Amino acid sequence: MKLSTINSPFAQLRTLLDGIPPGGEPVDMTIGAPRHAMPGFVAQVISENEGLFMSYPPIAGHPDLQQALQDWHWRRYPVLADVITAPQNILPLNGSREGLFSALFIAKGRKQFGKQPAALIPNPFYQCYAAAALAAGCEPVYLPCDKDSSYLPDLDALSPALLDRTAAFYLCSPSNPQGAVAGKEYLEKVIMLARKHDFMLFSDECYSEIYSGLPPKGALEVARGMGEIVGVDPFLNIITFNSLSKRSNVPGLRSGFCAGDAGFIGEYMAFRNVACPQIPLPIQLVSTQIWSDEAHVDNSRKLYRLKFDLADSIISDCFNYEKPKGGFFLWLNFSEIGGGVKAASTLWKGFGVKILPGAFLAKNVSGEKNPGEDYARVAMVHDIDKTREALEHIVKLI
Ligand SMILES: Cc1ncc(COP(=O)(O)O)c(C=O)c1O
């Protein structure tokens, strides 16, 4: 399959809405770019360190950034205190996307597979996973995530033969688009499978700091609780990916990390050192401060909660609405009015509100219904007033 056949959901939406005038002041609720305030110190720290743009940055990260990332893990997941350390277990990335892409090359090279290696991908999914699979020569195997499977891949449906030839399993929790969160038992089970069949669990946790109830579990946190075998890496076969993009409302900063299995991190760091871009030093230094500050994250989370409360009251029991456990998307079922594509074009035409059809985020697998077909994703990234108005338009679709 040609890499160019991976069509961005946003490009598909542009084609769908091409030539249709918006029925009101346009409000874009498609893209997962947060619009809450970013921390106030960002510009100042970058400008104070602008001279460092003249130096090539270290791939393993500035010592201050390493320390901040380690501290963040110890704070967010107390069971990881004294256990996870940088640079052994933590590697800075230019946002999580470039890691989710390039780490698969290392996962694929870890062992001889005999057959074509597989990359397991939840369906619907973040498109980068499929691009990585195709670029790395892995077969993308799409795992349906629907209401019946609590919007996570059904682990019992995976055959041992498939798991034996799996290079990596992409898990997204909190999930984009559905906002599902993998609990402790689910994570334990997938970690056990990763170890039994020796594949990498790539746990995409970039929405981990946006949640309504309890903080979502992290894969490394759960692994740590599974008990330790002396001399064996507690994070064996697990890599998590996270970034400042959603947590701190700075998707344009391009700053994230991956963490976990020390052997994997070492190999991946060596590969990155010759193949991947480092993070500019002023960005590393401002990232240090952003990871060290939780006040802005609390404020942002509170604002999301207020908006989800609005959705509770406005969307209420329409469109099979369920408050997402994490992340900032609504995943609404529009089957009553003809599905997500129809809903998106009607809403644009009627009110100028742009939402993303779920079918564009999912893969058509032959013999199966596209798991996104009935749905559309609504990004709750705007301010309260704009969000309220858009939600009121959405319920008029009934
Ligand atoms: C599920 C998921 N993973 C990863 C990313 C990449 O984010 P970033 O590269 O900004 O960290 C996104 C961005 O939208 C996403 O939705």
Side-chain angles (χ1 to χ4, degrees):
M1 188 181 178
K2 276 172 112 181
L3 280 180
S4 57
T5 56
I6 299 178
N7 197 355
S8 145
F10 305 105
Q12 294 182 63
L13 184 63
R14 269 195 298 280
T15 307
L16 177 74
L17 302 183
D18 191 31
I20 306 176
E25 180 71 22
V27 183
D28 188 349
M29 301 187 90
T30 59
I31 194 159
R35 313 224 169 160
H36 297 179
M38 64 179 176
F41 52 77
V42 171
Q44 194 191 333
V45 177
I46 293 177
S47 117
E48 280 167 7
N49 292 288
E50 66 180 1
L52 294 173
F53 281 122
M54 294 182 73
S55 310
Y56 274 113
I59 198 79
H62 186 283
D64 291 356
L65 178 59
Q66 290 177 3
Q67 185 68 47
L69 290 171
Q70 180 181 297
D71 291 348
W72 180 81
H73 278 87
W74 291 20
R75 244 186 2 258
R76 173 66 170 83
Y77 306 111
V79 292
L80 299 185
D82 297 324
V83 183
I84 194 162
T85 56
Q88 290 77 7
N89 301 112
I90 307 174
L91 183 59
L93 299 170
N94 293 274
S96 58
R97 179 163 85 172
E98 64 110 352
L100 288 161
F101 181 79
S102 58
L104 188 57
F105 291 88
I106 304 301
K108 189 196 165 195
R110 285 175 64 247
K111 61 177 191 183
Q112 293 296 324
F113 288 91
K115 296 187 182 140
Q116 187 186 18
L120 305 189
I121 296 176
N123 194 17
F125 59 101
Y126 183 54
Q127 303 298 302
C128 168
Y129 310 156
L134 294 179
C138 294
E139 181 196 351
V141 176
Y142 298 97
L143 312 176
C145 297
D146 51 25
K147 200 173 162 63
D148 291 342
S149 68
S150 305
Y151 299 112
L152 294 169
D154 178 0
L155 300 177
D156 295 329
L158 305 172
S159 73
L162 173 61
L163 293 170
D164 279 341
R165 69 177 179 96
T166 294
F169 185 144
Y170 287 94
L171 179 70
C172 187
S173 173
S175 70
N176 169 7
Q178 312 94 330
V181 167
K184 176 172 171 282
E185 275 161 33
Y186 187 96
L187 288 168
E188 280 175 354
K189 197 164 174 177
V190 71
I191 291 167
M192 282 190 291
L193 288 175
R195 290 178 176 164
K196 181 169 176 201
H197 297 274
D198 195 21
F199 60 80
M200 292 307 299
L201 170 63
F202 284 168
S203 184
D204 179 352
E205 302 182 356
C206 73
Y207 293 95
S208 68
E209 303 315 287
I210 302 165
Y211 49 84
S212 311
L214 292 172
K217 294 268 176 217
L220 301 179
E221 176 189 27
V222 168
R224 176 66 184 142
M226 286 167 74
E228 202 178 341
I229 305 172
V230 178
V232 175
D233 183 340
F235 309 124
L236 196 67
N237 293 85
I238 311 162
I239 294 290
T240 58
F241 295 85
N242 211 326
S243 83
L244 291 174
S245 301
K246 321 289 179 184
R247 171 190 183 268
S248 301
N249 308 314
V250 284
L253 201 67
R254 309 312 303 137
S255 183
F257 67 80
C258 63
D261 186 319
F264 188 93
I265 291 280
E267 206 180 325
Y268 185 37
M269 182 161 0
F271 172 71
R272 286 184 57 75
N273 203 23
V274 290
C276 302
Q278 310 91 320
I279 310 178
L281 270 167
I283 305 297
Q284 294 199 34
L285 293 177
V286 74
S287 302
T288 301
Q289 299 210 15
I290 303 175
W291 282 114
S292 307
D293 180 57
E294 291 296 337
H296 73 277
V297 188
D298 281 342
N299 289 338
S300 193
R301 200 161 33 234
K302 276 183 198 135
L303 195 46
Y304 282 119
R305 283 192 180 135
L306 289 177
K307 290 189 280 182
F308 283 113
D309 289 347
L310 265 187
D312 287 351
S313 66
I314 298 173
I315 308 279
S316 182
D317 55 0
C318 304
F319 311 124
N320 288 345
Y321 166 75
E322 288 171 57
K323 189 185 236 145
K325 294 204 176 82
F328 51 54
F329 299 112
L330 304 184
W331 184 237
L332 301 179
N333 184 324
F334 291 105
S335 52
E336 261 182 81
I337 59 153
V341 168
K342 176 90 186 299
S345 54
T346 311
L347 203 57
W348 176 248
K349 218 183 300 175
F351 307 104
V353 176
K354 208 187 269 184
I355 59 174
L356 191 61
F360 297 172
L361 290 162
K363 180 81 183 165
N364 285 314
V365 175
S366 75
E368 289 174 21
K369 179 177 170 171
N370 180 320
E373 188 178 301
D374 291 339
Y375 293 83
R377 188 185 84 174
V378 180
M380 300 281 277
V381 290
H382 290 283
D383 63 31
I384 296 264
D385 290 341
K386 233 183 200 178
T387 303
R388 178 185 297 108
E389 205 181 324
L391 295 178
E392 282 168 355
H393 288 321
I394 291 175
V395 283
K396 287 184 202 147
L397 285 178
I398 286 259

